[in-house]
Amino acid sequence: MHPLTAAAKHAITIPPPPPPAAAASYTSSPSSGTSDPSVLDLSSAEIDDDGDGDDDRAEQQEIKNSKELVMGRAPCCDKASVKKGPWSPEEDAKLKAYIEENGTGGNWIALPQKIGLKRCGKSCRLRWLNYLRPNIKHGDFTEEEEHIICSLYISIGSRWSIIAAQLPGRTDNDIKNYWNTKLKKKLLGKRAPSRRARANQDHCGLAGSAAAAMCGGVGTAAAAAPPHQALSSSALERIQLHMRLQGLYNSAFGCTTTSSNGGGVGVAPPQWPKLEALLPSRPLPAVQPTDASLASGFLDAHNAARRQVGVPPLRWDERLASYAARYAAARSGAGGGCALVHSHGPYGENLFHGSGVGWAPADVVAAWVSRERALYDAASNSCRGGDAAACGHYTQVVWRRTTAVGCALATCAGGRGTYGVCSYNPPGNYVGVRPY
DNA sequence: AATACGTTCAACCGCCCCCGC
DNA sequence: CGCGGGGGCGGTTGAACGTAT
């Protein structure tokens, strides 16, 4: 049994992330054959056997389509009779009025027929979710929103729906567009090649900016490899972007990522955030507990959760508390950005960031425990809903072999939020091991 | 003024997961 | 338990508009 790498210390059985996360996965695997995201498996998904995966995909799709025809599976909607393209104000009004009056009825496919819209149900769903539903925000992303998007993108990659869940009023589509058209360029400080330019680069056998870089002579293993062993261009682009972002992000937002330990190949992968800790704003008066109440507040909340699963209580450890306090101070300072980036220290670690001030220790622990407890499935020792990062805080809180905890709270620079750190010893969240 | 090039963003496509039967 | 259908999601496209030459 090996402990997880520092990067994954706080979470268990994280599903394979998209290539940006995999890009940072040059550390050795502590537990081969697992879903450990720190393993970049170049031997499988990203290798295109004949250098033209499109042909394979087309062939597979053809086979699939013929099967579907034989089996008589109905298409999502009759493409011949549905309207496509931009929505008219009349269509918008029809859809909005119906949903506001009746809801979706739990069946998007049937909805357009009910209201006489010549649209695919999926198109209606998208139009409602991305444009018509109430409280949608468009454009004008704030610096804090940019910060959250960048922090999460670096950690979890292009999981736009998860990122959108942390930004009330924003849609995944909006965030995706904003990232691709503005934020990525802002961070990289370069212009993406036009489609026309990309088309001109296709003679290299690869498309996209990473491939363009290779055509220009940037030496990489993939560039040197014969075409049939090349990584897909999108994967390479995301790997390259991810590596560059780790460095650039530090200067842009004052974040500390693993690349600061030496940078580039060989460093530990970036931290996977615990997403529920990015909580919406809660305007409360600033009431900082005394040191004693802070300790007992954290300890009591932890031990209440542990009692519920029959795990022995933790004791307060001043050394751990001091470690947590130093890191909280550094991270909440002007250069730290209050980013949810782990310290890579010797202890287990849960991080918290809430907007505004006035968060009590019990609130912080509740943010880790209250929802995540329901997400942890003891039978399978994994998080429900497919998001394996979703219950890592909770499993650390109730980790049986952890005996001591020390925590700290700090106010983010400019009073723009509260940052919390709990350090645990011995650390928990080992792959393949049940918390209790 | 005309054309080429770049940017934005709504919408579509297709894959995958989950749930009900 | 397997299958089919619906919903969710990420990737991609293309029209509209802006800017540079």
Side-chain angles (χ1 to χ4, degrees), chain A residues 40-59:
Chain A
L40 176 61
D41 184 4
L42 301 181
S43 65
S44 56
E46 298 300 345
I47 291 179
D48 190 359
D49 285 340
D50 59 4
D52 183 6
D54 288 343
D55 286 351
D56 286 347
R57 279 191 291 275
E59 197 174 316

Side-chain angles (χ1 to χ4, degrees), chain A residues 146 150 153-154 179 182-190 241 244-245 248-253:
Chain A
E146 289 185 353
C150 290
Y153 183 87
I154 285 175
W179 171 261
K182 291 179 185 165
L183 209 43
K184 185 163 68 174
K185 293 171 197 169
K186 185 174 167 182
L187 283 171
L188 290 179
K190 70 172 187 180
L241 173 64
R244 293 191 63 184
L245 275 175
L248 290 170
Y249 189 65
N250 290 342
S251 53
F253 293 112

